[in-house]
Amino acid sequence: MWYYSLFYKLNFLLASIMKSNFFKDIIIIIIITIVSLFALNIVFHYWLMYSEKNDVTYIDIEKNFLNKYSSIIQDQPEKKFSKYLTIYEINPPNLRNDIFYIQNPANTNIIFCEEENGLIEFTTDKFGFRNKNGKNKYDVIILGDSFTEGACVDDEKSIPGVINSRKKVSIYNGGKGGTGLIYFALAADKLSNEIKNKIIAVNLIQGISINRMFSTIKNYPNIFEQKLEFLDEEKKLSLVNHRMFHKLYFEKYNELRIKKFEDDSFFLKSKKLISHTALYLGLKKIFKNYVYYTGERAPVCDKLNENRLLIKKSIKSLYNTSVKNESKLVIFYIPTFWNYMKDVDNNFYRNLSKNSDCEFNLIKKIASEIDSSVIIEDKRFIFEGFPHKEIRDIYFANNHDLRFTMGLSYVRGHYSEIGFEKISDSISLSLQNILSNN
């Protein structure tokens, strides 16, 4: 049969190749290359561990959280206690619901996060936000994400905490980590029904707040139609249910992530696998003069203009809430550490500056179209006056988990205590001027 003949010919050809010195040399080169890369990966693995030895890794933070959790459960069983819950954990996107819960459980001790000041814990008020109970009237309700909420610092070191300590302006902390512009509009509407105020202020994070708005509408396409609720004690959402939500959300997340990886091309799969090797992270740390312009940190002018109507809808909702409450709407455009990267990658810095200008100007134009009374202030350059490396080191905290994951020594987290104080004083001064002119 013809296939027997073909088999014998292929067998003969393979035997001939095996006898060839060239083929043997190729095999030896491949083996040496694989062994060398494996050895280098091991070397870089231990070098990264040694070079980051003063940082707290994700595992350490998780261990601290578990120890704290265990201690409170044993020593203070009467206290209501929870890990910090994101909006995606409280409202799992895969569990469609007519109700959208906007914050953590009410009157609960929350284990928050850790950067430079140990593991931070705070207590929520009757609405689930980071305030003390007792008052229902403030000069200002301030909305924002974790920068506003006071990520990884004590209550008095957060933006609302610092401003309240100055005793010039009373301010309600309406911040919620991991949220964007749509959430700010919804939270403002819900909170203003409970908290009397003269100003609704929004901390819009450069690049991040609007990019997160896109994620919000993707996960919750009907969010403007959903009923907003506080996660108060009447909802009787126990810690067991919190963990159930957490479990359901991450099961779905992992399922989608695995499916996406399976659907990726061989090239993309290889790229993802290589990017998680110690060798790749080590080389990235050595040759750290290029930063990819991707992710939520990076506004893109074309995308902003394409989604102009959604941005306007969110700002219009904020404005309508301020009119309903006879208060003033103020938007502060505030920076992250990515705004101070000139020394690391000047191209990234120029690109970010150009697109951030586009973002700020678009917000300013939209606000003026809605009503000339809306105040927009650019706080991006509040930390200027030092070289960018010094600005990152002074005004921004070490985010140990983020640095360890990315393998990049210049990566920072939220503001440091000094950074929070400086941005707080700038915001406070602006609010004082607005209040005095009303």
Side-chain angles (χ1 to χ4, degrees):
M1 299 293 288
W2 65 269
Y3 46 82
Y4 285 119
S5 174
L6 179 62
F7 174 77
Y8 285 121
K9 286 178 181 178
L10 288 173
N11 194 39
F12 176 77
L13 180 63
L14 184 61
S16 300
I17 291 173
M18 289 297 290
K19 291 178 182 178
S20 165
N21 287 332
F22 174 75
F23 182 77
K24 289 178 181 176
D25 290 344
I26 293 294
I27 293 294
I28 291 169
I29 290 169
I30 291 172
I31 292 170
I32 290 172
T33 302
I34 291 171
V35 171
S36 299
L37 288 173
F38 182 73
L40 278 171
N41 194 63
I42 293 173
V43 169
F44 274 105
H45 171 75
Y46 284 102
W47 175 66
L48 282 171
M49 286 180 64
Y50 176 78
S51 65
E52 301 285 345
K53 66 181 181 179
N54 293 323
D55 287 344
V56 181
T57 67
Y58 177 80
I59 295 170
D60 293 325
I61 294 170
E62 195 71 12
K63 185 177 179 182
N64 288 347
F65 168 74
L66 292 172
N67 287 340
K68 186 89 170 181
Y69 183 94
S70 175
S71 170
I72 290 181
I73 293 299
Q74 290 175 15
D75 302 338
Q76 305 173 61
E78 75 286 352
K79 291 183 73 173
K80 192 176 177 186
F81 175 81
S82 173
K83 73 180 282 295
Y84 188 84
L85 300 171
T86 68
I87 58 168
Y88 300 105
E89 292 169 311
I90 301 170
N91 306 280
N94 56 306
L95 298 180
R96 296 300 178 191
N97 199 331
D98 293 334
I99 296 174
F100 187 88
Y101 294 109
I102 66 170
Q103 203 21 309
N104 277 281
N107 301 313
T108 301
N109 297 287
I110 305 290
I111 291 297
F112 197 7
C113 61
E114 180 175 357
E115 285 183 341
E116 291 183 338
N117 303 288
L119 199 60
I120 298 299
E121 178 185 349
F122 69 87
T123 303
T124 58
D125 63 11
K126 62 183 178 180
F127 305 122
F129 288 85
R130 192 178 185 178
N131 302 277
K132 288 182 170 61
N133 284 313
K135 290 179 65 175
N136 67 347
K137 187 176 180 181
Y138 291 81
D139 292 324
V140 182
I141 295 176
I142 192 162
L143 291 307
D145 66 358
S146 51
F147 282 85
T148 300
E149 192 170 26
C152 310
V153 293
D154 292 323
D155 290 352
E156 65 274 13
K157 301 295 184 181
S158 67
I159 291 174
V162 171
I163 293 175
N164 281 323
S165 71
R166 303 294 192 251
K167 301 188 184 303
K168 302 285 187 181
V169 179
S170 62
I171 188 165
Y172 182 89
N173 188 342
K176 172 67 179 168
T179 57
L181 181 57
I182 288 176
Y183 175 88
F184 306 159
L186 299 176
D189 183 43
K190 185 66 176 173
L191 281 170
S192 63
N193 293 329
E194 309 290 341
I195 306 290
K196 294 180 180 178
N197 62 87
K198 299 174 185 175
I199 294 174
I200 291 175
V202 177
N203 281 336
L204 203 68
I205 308 297
Q206 172 189 23
I208 292 175
S209 296
I210 290 181
N211 277 331
R212 283 184 182 160
M213 178 192 72
F214 301 142
S215 301
T216 305
I217 203 70
K218 182 180 178 181
N219 283 291
Y220 309 103
N222 301 314
I223 192 167
F224 282 105
E225 286 73 50
Q226 287 179 275
K227 183 181 179 183
L228 304 177
E229 292 284 357
F230 296 119
L231 201 56
D232 58 31
E233 292 170 350
E234 292 179 7
K235 304 298 180 299
K236 300 186 185 303
L237 192 65
S238 67
L239 293 179
V240 174
N241 285 333
H242 294 169
R243 286 194 286 272
M244 180 192 75
F245 276 2
H246 189 188
K247 183 172 181 289
L248 283 169
Y249 171 68
F250 279 101
E251 277 181 357
K252 184 70 175 176
Y253 174 78
N254 286 327
E255 179 186 317
L256 291 172
R257 187 176 61 175
I258 290 166
K259 185 178 185 305
K260 185 178 184 305
F261 183 76
E262 288 173 349
D263 293 342
D264 283 342
S265 66
F266 175 77
F267 173 75
L268 283 175
K269 285 180 181 177
S270 302
K271 185 179 177 183
K272 286 179 180 179
L273 290 171
I274 290 168
S275 68
H276 285 81
T277 62
L279 177 59
Y280 173 83
L281 292 173
L283 290 172
K284 194 172 180 180
K285 184 169 183 174
I286 293 170
F287 303 103
K288 57 185 179 182
N289 60 342
Y290 182 79
V291 182
Y292 291 101
Y293 195 81
T294 58
E296 67 177 19
R297 68 192 177 206
V300 177
C301 198
D302 289 344
K303 188 176 181 181
L304 292 166
N305 286 313
E306 286 170 12
N307 290 275
R308 191 181 197 280
L309 290 177
L310 182 59
I311 297 169
K312 187 169 185 176
K313 184 176 182 178
S314 300
I315 296 176
K316 177 70 171 173
S317 175
L318 283 161
Y319 173 73
N320 289 342
T321 300
S322 70
V323 170
K324 181 178 69 175
N325 290 276
E326 299 181 345
S327 55
K328 197 87 171 173
L329 175 59
V330 184
I331 299 174
F332 299 115
Y333 190 64
I334 66 175
T336 67
F337 78 90
W338 296 107
N339 195 53
Y340 307 100
M341 296 287 286
K342 194 172 184 179
D343 60 310
V344 176
D345 186 344
N346 196 38
N347 287 331
F348 173 87
Y349 171 73
R350 287 204 307 267
N351 206 2
L352 180 68
S353 297
K354 180 183 74 174
N355 283 281
S356 296
D357 286 342
C358 174
E359 184 175 56
F360 176 76
N361 290 329
L362 179 62
I363 294 162
K364 193 172 182 179
K365 186 174 182 182
I366 288 172
S368 67
E369 290 171 2
I370 293 169
D371 195 272
S372 59
S373 66
V374 180
I375 298 171
I376 312 289
E377 289 194 14
D378 192 349
K379 302 286 186 183
R380 270 181 296 166
F381 310 105
I382 194 69
F383 300 125
E384 292 290 358
F386 299 97
H388 281 195
K389 183 181 184 306
E390 288 184 35
I391 290 174
R392 293 194 306 274
D393 290 343
I394 295 169
Y395 296 114
F396 293 87
N398 283 331
N399 184 316
H400 307 291
D401 179 31
L402 190 58
R403 283 187 59 187
F404 187 83
T405 302
M406 297 182 74
L408 301 169
S409 59
Y410 56 75
V411 172
R412 293 292 181 269
H414 298 88
Y415 299 132
S416 64
E417 289 186 356
I418 297 172
F420 270 117
E421 185 172 12
K422 190 170 181 66
I423 195 80
S424 300
D425 285 339
S426 177
I427 290 171
S428 179
L429 185 61
S430 296
L431 292 172
Q432 289 174 56
N433 291 335
I434 294 165
L435 287 166
S436 65
N437 291 328
N438 276 355

